[in-house]
């Protein structure tokens, strides 16, 4: 039930995953940009095309840390 699911509350809807800003602030994002020869803004666009994340509150997009870390480690836009 949504009332028992902590991910549905306004206070926690963005805390269970990674925001786009957090992803781009990580050193892994900088490394991937270097490897791909691109800028962070383009990387975020590519991430959104590859995996659009999800939203608990229909407003903020968040991303699964496992998928994003797999992207950074493997440096490939594939399904994880």
């Amino acid at each position: 039930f949504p009332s028992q699911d902590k991910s549905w509350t306004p206070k926690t809807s963005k805390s269970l995953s990674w925001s786009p800003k957090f992803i781009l602030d990580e050193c892994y994002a900088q490394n991937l940009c270097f490897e791909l020869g691109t800028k962070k803004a383009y990387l975020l666009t590519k991430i959104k095309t590859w995996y659009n994340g999800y939203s608990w509150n229909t407003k903020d997009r968040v991303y699964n840390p496992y998928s994003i870390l797999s992207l950074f480690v493997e440096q490939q836009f594939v399904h994880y």
Side-chain angles (χ1 to χ4, degrees):
F1 300 124
S3 63
Q4 295 174 343
D5 184 349
K6 301 304 180 216
S7 61
W8 289 88
T9 68
K11 290 182 181 179
T12 60
S13 65
K14 294 187 287 183
S15 65
L16 301 174
S17 302
W18 289 355
S19 70
K21 180 182 179 340
F22 179 82
I23 292 168
L24 292 181
D25 287 347
E26 288 298 298
C27 65
Y28 294 112
Q30 186 64 36
N31 291 343
L32 187 56
C33 285
F34 178 78
E35 290 297 321
L36 297 176
T38 190
K39 298 197 182 291
K40 285 185 176 182
Y42 179 74
L43 177 63
L44 185 57
T45 299
K46 198 146 167 68
I47 288 172
K48 287 180 179 180
T49 300
W50 162 70
Y51 166 50
N52 197 26
Y54 54 96
S55 178
W56 298 110
N57 63 8
T58 69
K59 183 178 92 172
D60 300 298
R61 303 301 299 173
V62 291
Y63 297 84
N64 179 316
Y66 177 81
S67 296
I68 298 300
L69 280 175
S70 296
L71 167 65
F72 290 155
V73 170
E74 300 296 327
Q75 299 182 346
Q76 295 180 4
F77 290 90
V78 297
H79 298 288
Y80 295 104

